[in-house]
Amino acid sequence: MTTSLPLSRDENPFSSIFITPGAQGFMLPNELSWPQLHEKFCEAGRRGTILGEHGVGKTTLLATLIQKWRYFYPHPDAWTICRVQDLHSQSTMNLRQRVAPGGRLLTTLEPDQSISMESLFAQMKQGQIVIIDGFESWPKTVRWRFWRAIRRTQAGLVLTSHKRTPLPTLLHLKPQFEDFERLIDSWQPAVQSIERSVLFDVWKRNEGNPRECLFELYHRWES
Amino acid sequence: MEPLVSLTLRHNQSVFLPGDELDCEYQIDAIGERQIQSIENSVMWYTVGKGDEDLGVHHFERRVANDFPDMDLRELHRFNTTCPASPLSYEGEIVKIRWCIRVRVFRKSGKEILFELPFQIGRVPARGAAAATSPERSTKNVR
């Protein structure tokens, strides 16, 4: 718990520090709660995929999910979070506390250190929750090795991907303008004063991609 | 109730030049004498903007209650440092370099309280300074 100074009106609320995964909690669709998503995960045999295009908030969802599901998996070693960097490398990810301008303390999900496939496989044990962010970035051969390894374990598995995987889809992220509005409304007070028509124009121009919208709002705030 | 921290730069100066002495003092109130475990104060810079963030610590001090006979860290504490030659404060569109004094109070209960006092190194017009003098900037809108 911390106290912090209010954000200065002149501080750009769309700076990286405020939009990095974890800095803003992910807002699930209205009809779904975090325990319900966990129930869905359990019903699917504790394995599933979060589907969605670039910039829709898959990693942000993971950052929130890890914190919300700690209740179900409280042991610190219960989690292996891994981000696929490119074809043949991946790194672990961890929640980290960072201080934002104004002294606000944020918990963000960030890449930590690179990890070999062998080490990753060695960590996949019963009772573990393994998260792979950006699963589709691995080449087919690596994905095949991964499937073979995961089949031999009882570890829970959550993947994020742009494309469908052999696992059941837990959630397909297709944000609508109303979701973006909800996100903005939950943001810092300075942001809530942005006119709806402006938000809608930004949304349309960026073809409904929340990340691109936030980048554009950064520049508009600066101008 | 949260403790109060009075953090000030002596002479109320907020713009410094490389080589200037930066004198700072702080005092903690509204908290019991045995409730503070430690206090960290630092003089540091960080970047903020659209890309990855960076930071550097120029001066750091940690005071632990157990190191003091009365275990009381609330009293007025002064520290000073010399402003470095770089990086200077900068206010660009993509990246900004901010200097600040940061005081972190670690309570025995596990809670942490954080205070920041921004200042500027170099004669770069600070956006914050502009906001204080220009009425149109204080009612910023994205249009």
Side-chain angles (χ1 to χ4, degrees):
Chain A
M1 278 293 290
T2 65
T3 57
S4 63
L5 305 175
L7 190 65
S8 146
R9 284 194 71 80
D10 241 29
E11 197 67 67
N12 192 324
F14 304 104
S15 296
S16 311
I17 182 84
F18 297 119
I19 65 171
T20 200
Q24 307 288 335
F26 186 88
M27 301 179 79
L28 285 173
N30 276 331
E31 67 277 9
L32 194 65
S33 67
W34 291 102
Q36 282 170 335
L37 184 63
H38 181 255
E39 215 176 294
K40 210 172 159 185
F41 173 67
C42 292
E43 282 166 7
R46 294 174 70 243
R47 294 191 173 183
T49 306
I50 310 287
L51 267 184
E53 296 298 318
H54 277 292
V56 295
K58 297 186 295 297
T59 311
T60 300
L61 181 146
L62 290 181
T64 311
L65 177 144
I66 294 158
Q67 295 177 76
K68 298 282 185 186
W69 285 11
R70 285 245 189 250
Y71 175 79
F72 303 109
Y73 311 97
H75 198 278
D77 294 337
W79 297 83
T80 296
I81 309 151
C82 180
R83 176 180 213 155
V84 181
Q85 302 283 33
D86 53 43
L87 291 181
H88 294 283
S89 71
Q90 49 281 321
S91 65
T92 55
M93 290 177 95
N94 277 310
L95 290 172
R96 194 157 71 95
Q97 282 218 320
R98 296 169 68 188
V99 182
R104 196 169 145 206
L105 214 55
L106 302 173
T107 304
T108 61
L109 183 62
E110 293 179 31
D112 197 1
Q113 53 189 356
S114 62
I115 182 172
S116 66
M117 289 304 282
E118 286 67 31
S119 305
L120 177 62
F121 294 159
Q123 287 187 26
M124 299 190 308
K125 294 173 194 143
Q126 188 166 4
Q128 270 262 319
I129 299 291
V130 178
I131 292 180
I132 308 290
D133 188 22
F135 180 73
E136 80 292 335
S137 303
W138 269 332
K140 216 171 173 178
T141 49
V142 177
R143 291 203 301 260
W144 182 78
R145 275 181 70 200
F146 179 81
W147 287 130
R148 239 172 42 146
I150 197 82
R151 220 173 283 144
R152 289 197 295 261
T153 76
Q154 295 295 312
L157 177 63
V158 178
L159 308 177
T160 71
S161 177
H162 298 156
K163 297 175 196 156
R164 289 195 181 278
T165 74
L167 300 185
T169 300
L170 287 179
L171 202 56
H172 191 166
L173 300 180
K174 285 185 278 190
Q176 303 297 307
F177 178 64
E178 292 69 32
D179 300 318
F180 186 58
E181 263 188 311
R182 236 167 22 107
L183 170 74
I184 294 293
D185 284 343
S186 71
W187 214 292
Q188 299 148 9
V191 174
Q192 292 164 9
S193 62
I194 300 174
E195 288 169 24
R196 297 292 115 159
S197 58
V198 172
L199 275 187
F200 190 65
D201 285 347
V202 170
W203 180 258
K204 273 204 314 200
R205 203 169 20 257
N206 291 286
E207 296 171 349
N209 184 305
R211 179 160 56 199
E212 294 301 325
C213 290
L214 295 174
F215 285 163
E216 182 177 334
L217 288 170
Y218 174 91
H219 285 288
R220 292 177 78 101
W221 194 273
E222 288 291 314
S223 58
Chain B
M1 185 178 171
E2 295 294 349
L4 301 170
V5 176
S6 323
L7 172 62
T8 51
L9 276 161
R10 289 172 79 191
H11 314 301
N12 288 323
Q13 192 179 346
S14 62
V15 180
F16 296 83
L17 291 176
D20 281 355
E21 277 297 299
L22 190 137
D23 291 312
C24 186
E25 58 187 34
Y26 64 86
Q27 186 171 357
I28 321 282
D29 291 303
I31 185 169
E33 60 182 43
R34 298 287 170 108
Q35 288 178 25
I36 303 174
Q37 190 169 40
S38 63
I39 300 181
E40 291 177 359
N41 56 268
S42 49
V43 177
M44 57 178 292
W45 60 268
Y46 57 81
T47 63
V48 59
K50 202 178 169 186
D52 290 343
E53 294 90 21
D54 199 0
L55 65 84
V57 178
H58 172 64
H59 173 93
F60 179 80
E61 217 178 300
R62 179 178 163 84
R63 299 160 63 222
V64 181
N66 288 344
D67 295 344
F68 293 81
D70 56 0
M71 298 177 79
D72 190 359
L73 296 176
R74 297 173 305 171
E75 289 173 10
L76 185 73
H77 179 69
R78 292 197 173 101
F79 64 94
N80 71 322
T81 185
T82 307
C83 292
S86 68
L88 300 179
S89 301
Y90 178 70
E91 288 286 313
E93 181 175 334
I94 300 293
V95 70
K96 301 159 197 356
I97 301 174
R98 301 269 169 80
W99 278 91
C100 72
I101 296 156
R102 189 176 280 172
V103 175
R104 298 177 88 154
V105 179
F106 298 91
R107 296 174 69 161
K108 285 192 175 152
S109 63
K111 273 188 172 183
E112 179 190 336
I113 300 123
L114 201 141
F115 296 86
E116 260 191 22
L117 182 64
F119 67 96
Q120 193 179 315
I121 298 185
R123 295 216 180 276
V124 185
R127 198 165 282 239
T133 54
S134 163
E136 63 272 16
R137 282 208 70 81
S138 63
T139 54
K140 180 146 189 137
N141 274 319
V142 173
R143 293 191 192 283

